[in-house]
Every structure is written in structure tokens, then in C-alpha cells.
Amino acid sequence: MKKYKWGIALFSAAFILSACATGEEAADTGFGEASAGEDEQSESAEDNEEVVVDEDSIPVGLLHSLSGTMAISETSVRDAVMLAIDEINEDGGVLGKEIVPIVEDGASDEPVFSERASKLLQQDDVAAIFGTWTSASRQAVLPVVEEHNGLLFYPVQYEGMESSPNIFYNGAAPNQQIVPAVEWLFDNVGDSFFLLGSDYVFPRTANQIIQAQLDDLGGEVVREEYTPMGHTDYNTIISHIRDTDPDVIFNTLNGDSNVAFFNQLADAGITSDDVTVLSVSVAEEEIRGIGAEVLEGHLASWNYYQTTDTPENETFVSNFKEAYGEDRVTGDPIEAAYFMVYLWAQAVEEAGSTETDAVREAAAGITFDAPNGPVEIDGDNQHVYKTVRIGEVQSDGQFEEVWNSGEPVKPDPFLENYDWAEAIQ
Amino acid sequence: MSSVAMQIFNGISLGSVLLLVAMGLAITFGLMRVINMAHGDLIMIGAYVTYLMQVIFVQYIPEQFFDWYFILAIPVAFIIVAGIGMLLEFTVIRHLYGRPLDSLLATFGAGLILQQLIRTIFGAPNVGVQSPSFLQGSLEIFGLYLPFSRLFMIGLVIVCLGGLFIYLYRTRQGRRVRAVMQNREMATCMGISSRKVDSLTFAMGAGFAGVAGCTLTLIGPIGPTIGLNYIVDAFMVVVVGGVGALTGTVIGALGIGVFNTFFEYWTNASMGKVLIFALIIAFLQWRPSGLFSMKTRSLD
Amino acid sequence: MSYLYSKKTLVILGFVILLVMPFVLAPFNLNLLGRFLAYAILALGIGVLWGYAGILSLGHGIFFGFGAYAMAMYLTLQSGGIPDFMGWNGITELPWFWAIFSNPIVAIVLAIAVPMLFAGILGYFTFRNRITGVYFTILTQALVIVVTTLIISQQQYTGGTNGITGFDTIFGYSLNSVTTQQMIYWTTVIFLGLVFLICYKLVNSRFGKVLIAIRDGENRTRFLGYNTSVYQVIVYSFSAGVAGLAGMLFVLQVGIITPSMMGIVPSIEMVLWVAIGGRGTLIGPVIGALITNGASTWFSQTYPDAWLFFIGLVFVLVVVFMPKGIMGIIATIQARRRAKKYGKDRKEETKLYNSSSI
């Protein structure tokens, strides 16, 4: 009598096993009784397959959070990668083959990132993965790409102290964003710093660097504050700012918290005339979420702004707007995501194959005229030479550049060329 | 001295935010025993309604009236979110009265749908709302800086509470609501349509979430997932205050607000959060049903 | 009703199918399945706690996380040296609460014992004070916030939001090799079987009957002379231990643990697996964990932009219209068949059927 119940229970168990197996090629579905129920899925999986296996195409993985809290930032980065892929394909692709993007959702969840990365490498056999944003998700993917000898192109500025042979870091290392900004602030604004950041790895490491650098320069950190992710009440922090009266607030808050902080700072009547806030995680897209009127006059340090004046940037911005809408803006991580696809494509052309070791070897010294200016892959640490730019927020939500480094700065993720940074390495 | 006074004000202002966020829950959870995990997402929708009002004003209304968008957004957010709440009640909650834990899980699912809906319509990135000019800046008094937006929120909370109080305790409809919540069967016997009361009460709770969302645009971000930032805090307020008592909710919100601010001021934001939640756990051991609770002789 | 079709045989058959999967599935899929099985163990613990004792904990993420962290700490230490993140934060000597995890046996014991002890202490106060139902549920949420915020803010000791990752060997074998992964998979299946067996014994014992009595009428049970809080503390602690075990097996297959996997949302999702599978059964949670995770993996790969609509809708529909989950549907179908066959009163049959307890 009870056999139906258990039969069905088993069937659904088998179904789920098969669900694990679909969406990929593997699964020579060997569990007899269940295979009937899953035909449909297998077929759709094969549809996917056809595109990928095609001889005239090169599959690449796009791994970003399209859902969850990080979707806020990462969807635009994905758009930029897609734009670059489309452009390259229009120009005839790489090695005469078409690049086929396979998009995966990391769902703002680290195990999902690592799972999808191994899916991309093992089942789709992608030539490279473009993706991740947070340090946590990059570190979740790192062991996977190292194990399978894959390639990850990472588009965001980060805390440094890392150099995996399987990752190309296209965002700024600390010495291409934080260190020059502190130096510039010290020379031009003042010597007492208030350090404010979200409670995670990037701000804490950044602030250690700033502390060491200020000790060397003779500046002073008046207070260091961290707020949990998703924190929305900055009144207490603002009280501390009033109490300590710093010249500069060095802001390493992440996206969401910036909105609360800047709004409340403006409400408290503290403007850029009273104290300068320099942010390292506020780009054009974040400004739209915060509101330009409360940010006006504050500073940011990046390698690229939408207003950066190069011919490449003009094309890039107009192409980006044409593809995704006139109201969209670009920004540093978006631009990095865009040019990193070109860097990869050039390295592949140079190597004559998509094989990881060959691409890595060919990549050293590759240059490209990116929207932010010329960039070059440093063969030693697989970071990128970039120009450092400090910009001031204007009332229209765009930046006006107030300083730049004049030439691309050599990446130094471990701060080896700075004596004061010894304790941090 | 002035820094202590400043912190007391900060605490009250945080309390007023918590109260705004929790007021809708105090109705849905406190009165109806429905654990509405989608409350945070209703707040989020209230915020997007405000954003939409701003967009409409920028496009169709002469510039000198721009500041009015915010004033208008409050009732509009209330009505729209109340409508969504009514829909939610009609489709989901209605089946779950008397199953509070199930209502928690089902509304969590509903919340996911709302989030994805907003993400599909408005896109994943945050959107920005410009505060009306009369709420920018702060009032300087005895060396204290009291931001207008915070004063406005405190005022709004008082107005909402007053309105709610009058509704519940001074109108016929409110009396019906209380009757149904205290003893559903008896109230139905007296000829009250409990269906109608449920629907209206839940809609009202949702409406207050809309107002909260609208107001929170003054201080916080607007994105598809902001609901999560507020939902747990809101539950804590209601539980600490005691279920079914508005006075309790008020004292719970102010208590948590003030304690949290001082903890944060003395330590740091993360430790402040840890301490306040640990305090809540300890407090509930002492008073399992919160500060104020309805005396009842019923036992399961 | 021949022997061949008895319940037991079919459960064993399912178990055997799981055991032979390594010969059938590609390594990647096997890893995925192994991960879901770790979730299934966790779901069993929650299933007993919620389905049989009526206690809904939205804080099982932290117990799961603790088990995972314990294993990850051991793996990190035996890969050699002190973890990188300590170095960046200027810590040069291993703190004692890390050092004890360098012994595998201690690590494994602690991964289960600490969640049990922690749950025991918290449960002792909470249940003694008669905090039950909704209040307990919300209290566990507060607990989640406390623990995750602490872990994130103490990043010099915990790795902060990045969590712990980057270990690649266990007992000298590479964690990523196919053979090791197969061994880990089999370990997971065996533990799943063991936990299932223990749960089965537990809920069908006298103890289990009292749990059901507490679920259906706590005060009545108390008036009958049972000290209900003792039962609740024990089952809560048991369930936490199972979660710790699951976490340990999880980290072996995923290779990373971060605080975001212990948060409020994952904790709610864990409970939803049980709801979807069917509460008040033991098969239900296992099937629920497998199906829900399998489906969300498949859906989010196929329709990455829209799968939240679907999963949200499923959560709502299951909880509202099928409170007994998949197992409930199966029972209903069966009852209907039986009614057709024997012309008996269908409703009564269903009712009888649902009270069986596996």
C-alpha cells in the first residue's frame, strides 16, 4: 500500500539528482527509472551546449551578482563586459572566432560564486571568467580558478595584498588610489584625518595603510570608525566628527551606507566647506543614488571618470549610452570591466590560443588605450598600470578632475616600494 | 554636557525612526498576530513611491512647486502601499490566521517577489531622492545641531501615533478592530464582519509601512533590498514593547533608540549593535512578553 | 504489501542510490549533490525541532556556521602557519581559541559540541522562562544578528566578511582531487543515513511522543506532569548539534565559509526547505532540501534574472496551500487512490495517514 508514497518520494529524489545534472553536459543520466521525467531539461541543456561547443566560438563566463544586495553595483559591470564583447565580436572576434558570453548569477552569496565558477570552468570550459566585485566573492572564486587553472578578470579597486597567477586585477591597487589620495590631501587640504568605513576587509586594510602613511608624513588620525553593513543611522558618527573637528574625512563606506552618511551629514549642516570628504567607493552610479546636491564639492579618488577627456572615452560613453539608455552613467569599475575584456582579447591574439598558461605569458606588457588613458598589464603581479585621478563632485552628478598623476602608476599591491608600509606587508 | 544632550536627541531621533518602521508591524503583528516578513519590502515600496512622485514632479509640475512632492508623497505612499497590503491580505494572509509561524514564511516569499518586481521595473541600482529644501540643514540651539529632517520625522511619528490612537480608541471602526483582535468569535457573534476588519487593519498596517518608507528616503538609501535593513529592528521594537500595546511599542522604540545611541557612542557601531541585541535577548528572558502585554486568561 | 515494497526497503534503496552516485555523476555534479546532502542533514535537524517539537528556530545558520568555521579553522591550520588575515591585522601569534582547532579530533568534537552547548544554555534560560512560539523565533533572529555582527567586527580573529577559505588539503590529501571529493561525498551520505536513523529512533521513542504532545499542546503536557522545558532544551540542543555536523561537511565540499551564510535570510531559507518537503516527517526535510536547492540552482542558471519570482511564488504557495509540503501531496494522492480502490472515506484515511511518523 505504501509503495506509492515511497515510489514517488524516490522519484522526486531522483528527479532532483537529475536537476543537479542538467544545465550542463556531463550527466550521462544513468539512473534508469528517473530518466524519463527529465528529458525536457536535458534538451534545454543541450540547447545551451550547442552554442558553446561550436568550433567557431570561444565561451567566456560572466559571473556577477544579479540578485541580492550586491546586484546594485554588479549589474552595470556586467553590462560593460557585454558591451565590450559585442564590440569585439563586431570587429571579427578573437582569433577569428566569436566570443560567446555565458552569464551566471552569483546571487551575492559566496558559495554560489565558487559553485558557479567551477561550473563555468568544468562544464562550460570557458576561456576566462569576467566577474566578482566584493573581496569575499573574489576570494571564493580564487581557489577554484587556481585549482582548474582558469583565468579570472577582476574589475574593482581593492585592498591589495594579493597576487594570484590566475587572476588579473584591473581595478586599482592601494598605491593607485589610496596612497596618492592621502598624499594629495595632506599637501592640499590638511593633516588631521577622520577614517570612516564599513566593517569589512577593504576599509580596515585601507585604514591601516593610511595610518602608516600619515605616521610617516606627520599627519594625524583623529578617529577611526567602522559601521556594520546596512547601517543607516550616522548621527552618532556625525557627533564624533563634530567633537574631533578633522580637516579630512577619508571615507571607505560601501555603496548603501554612503547614501545615509552623506544625507545625514548634509542635514547636520556640514558641507564640503567645513570638512572635505574623500571617498574611494563613490562613483557616478552611486552619486545618482545619493543625490548630487549633498555630495557637491566632496572628492573622490579613482582612475577614471565619465568626464575623463580622452577620445577613447568619448566613444565608450556614447556606445554605453546607446546600448543601455541615455540616462545611464559610466564609472571606474564599469570602465575597468570594459577594458579588461580588450586586454584579455589582445593577450589571446598575442598567444594565438585561449590556453591559460599561454595567455598569461602573452599578457605581460600588453597595452591598450582605455577610456581612462593608456593601461598596461604588469607581468610581475598581473595588476594594471593606471593613471590616478582625484575628482570633485559637480552639481550635475559628474566629476571634475582636480589632479592626476600625469602618467600611469605602476601597481604595487604589496606596497613593497614604500618604506613606511613595512609593518603591513 | 552638550554631547550627552546631543546623544539624547540622537537617541530619540533613532527611536522615532524605529517607531515609524515598527508602527505598521505593531498593528499587523501586535493586533493580528501575523508575522509579516514582507513589512520591510512594503517600506521599500513606500520609498519607491516617493521616488516616483519626484520623477513625476520633475517632469510635469512647474519647478517652484517641487518641494511639495514630498508632502504629497506621504499620503500617496500610504494609499498605494495599503492597497498592496490589502492585496497581500486577500491572496495570502487570509489563509494564515492562527498560523503565525506560517505567515512568517509565506510573507518572506511574498517579500522576495516584491523585491524582484521592483528590480525589474526600476533596475537593480539604487535611486536617489532629493530632500525638499525646507528639510535641509539644521536648527542650532544651545550649541546643539538638530537636523530639520529629524525634527520632521519626530513630528510625523507623533501625528501618526495620534491618528492611530484616535482611530483605535475613539471611533466605531476602531472599536470593532479591537473587538475582533481580542476575541474573534465573540466579535463575529455580535455582528461584526471580521473579514472586513482584517482586511482594513492589515491594509492600515501596510499603509504605515508606506509612510515609513517615504520618510526614510530623507536619511537612507532607496534600493530593492533595503527592507532587510529595517525588518529585524522593527520586530525587536514590537516584541520588547509587548504585543498588542501601542504604549509598549512607543517605549520600546525610544528605549532601543536611546540605548543603541549611547552604546554606539561609547564603543563603536558594530559593538553597539551587538550590545543592543544581546540586551534585548536578556530583557526577554526577564519579561518574556515584553514591557506591556495584554492580560488574558486564555491558554493554548 | 510484499516485503519488497515496505517503507524501510525503499528508504534503503534511496540510500543505496545515493551511495552509487559517484559512479554516475561527473565530479562537478557530485560536488553539488554532496553539498545539497549536507543541507539535507541540516534540514533533518530543523525538521525534528520544528516538525515534531513545534519550535521554529530562525537561527540555525549560526550553528551551521559554527560547525563550518570549526572545520575551516582546522583545515587552515593544517595547511600551515597562521592565517593570512591575522598577519595583515598585525597578529603574529595564534590565539588559544584557534590553536585548539589544530587537532582534528578536537575540531570535529567541538564543531558539534559547541553548538549543542550553546543551544543548551540559551534554551535552558529561554524555555525555562516559557518563551515559546513566535517570541522564541524572533529571539533567535536577534541571536543571529549578535553572532554575525561579532564575527564580522572581529575580523582579525575571524577573517571578517571574507570568511575563511583557501585551504586545499585534508589529512594530507588534496581537497580538490576527485577521489577525496568522492570520499567526502560518501562520508556525507553515511552521516545523512546515521542522522536519519537517530532521528527516526528519536521521534518514534517515548521521548518523541512527548515532543509531539508539546507541539500540540504545551500547557496540557505540562499539566500532565512533564517538565516540557527539559524536552525542549534537549531537542533544541540536538538540532543544533546536527546543524554543526552539517556545517562541517558543507565546508569540506564548498571550501569557504563566510558570515553571510549564517545570516537571517539563509536561516529562513533553511526552514523553508523543511516546509517545502513536509514538516512532521523525516523524509520531507531531506527531499525538501534536495529539491529546493536543486531547483534554485537550475532556475538561477537558466533564468538568472527571474528566478526570484518563481522561488518566492513557490514559498508562498507551499506554505499557504500545501502546509504539509511534498509529503502531504503524496499522502493525499495515496489516500485518494485508496479511497477509489476500497471506497472508504477519503478524509479519514488522509488524517490517519498523516499521523504516521517517518
Side-chain angles (χ1 to χ4, degrees), chain B:
Chain B
M1 183 55 219
S2 82
S3 90
V4 172
M6 192 66 222
Q7 292 321 308
I8 290 176
F9 174 79
N10 285 347
I12 293 172
S13 109
L14 177 60
S16 71
V17 173
L18 289 172
L19 189 51
L20 256 178
V21 168
M23 203 167 0
L25 263 195
I27 298 170
T28 50
F29 178 48
L31 294 177
M32 303 172 73
R33 305 296 155 102
V34 169
I35 308 189
N36 183 13
M37 281 304 273
H39 189 75
D41 302 300
L42 294 172
I43 291 175
M44 179 266 293
I45 290 181
Y48 270 94
V49 169
T50 315
Y51 168 71
L52 210 59
M53 287 300 287
Q54 178 190 276
V55 172
I56 291 172
F57 263 67
V58 168
Q59 298 222 323
Y60 301 108
I61 313 278
E63 210 181 314
Q64 67 265 35
F65 299 116
F66 174 76
D67 283 348
W68 287 94
Y69 90 91
F70 189 75
I71 302 297
L72 204 62
I74 295 177
V76 173
F78 184 91
I79 292 165
I80 290 183
V81 179
I84 293 174
M86 205 176 259
L87 191 73
L88 191 66
E89 201 272 347
F90 184 75
T91 49
V92 178
I93 313 280
R94 187 161 59 105
H95 307 281
L96 297 172
Y97 289 117
R99 289 158 60 190
L101 295 177
D102 284 3
S103 70
L104 184 157
L105 300 176
T107 48
F108 175 76
L112 286 184
I113 297 176
L114 290 178
Q115 278 177 28
Q116 191 60 29
L117 192 70
I118 291 295
R119 195 175 284 134
T120 314
I121 299 173
F122 294 96
N126 281 358
V127 295
V129 165
Q130 188 179 348
S131 304
S133 57
F134 55 84
L135 290 179
Q136 290 167 3
S138 55
L139 181 70
E140 206 181 325
I141 232 181
F142 308 124
L144 301 180
Y145 295 87
L146 315 182
F148 289 127
S149 59
R150 298 295 183 143
L151 294 171
F152 174 80
M153 290 171 102
I154 295 173
L156 185 70
V157 160
I158 294 172
V159 171
C160 288
L161 268 178
L164 189 59
F165 183 84
I166 291 170
Y167 174 77
L168 281 179
Y169 294 95
R170 295 285 182 273
T171 65
R172 291 174 67 86
Q173 185 60 33
R175 196 156 62 228
R176 290 199 190 104
V177 172
R178 285 184 295 137
V180 171
M181 300 318 155
Q182 279 172 17
N183 192 328
R184 182 172 295 266
E185 287 77 17
M186 193 62 86
T188 321
C189 290
M190 298 296 185
I192 299 172
S193 160
S194 68
R195 278 288 321 120
K196 214 159 122 194
V197 169
D198 285 336
S199 169
L200 273 178
T201 316
F202 192 85
M204 199 166 61
F208 279 113
V211 174
C214 178
T215 324
L216 287 170
T217 60
L218 290 176
I219 59 163
I222 309 171
T225 50
I226 57 163
L228 271 181
N229 297 346
Y230 302 108
I231 183 75
V232 179
D233 294 358
F235 273 116
M236 296 306 145
V237 168
V238 178
V239 170
V240 166
V243 167
L246 272 184
T247 333
T249 311
V250 176
I251 295 179
L254 290 179
I256 292 179
V258 171
F259 272 107
N260 196 355
T261 305
F262 274 94
F263 285 151
E264 195 183 312
Y265 190 69
W266 287 327
T267 59
N268 58 52
S270 291
M271 277 326 276
K273 196 170 170 187
V274 169
L275 286 173
I276 193 74
F277 277 96
L279 189 72
I280 291 171
I281 294 176
F283 173 83
L284 286 178
Q285 305 290 341
W286 174 55
R287 293 204 72 136
S289 50
L291 280 170
F292 295 83
S293 56
M294 250 192 296
K295 292 272 185 301
T296 165
R297 293 186 184 177
S298 69
L299 213 50
D300 64 302

Side-chain angles (χ1 to χ4, degrees), chain A residues 297-317:
Chain A
H298 290 302
L299 305 175
S301 172
W302 289 107
N303 306 114
Y304 164 87
Y305 300 108
Q306 187 175 323
T307 52
T308 298
D309 188 21
T310 63
E312 290 80 14
N313 188 33
E314 220 164 276
T315 339
F316 170 58
V317 172

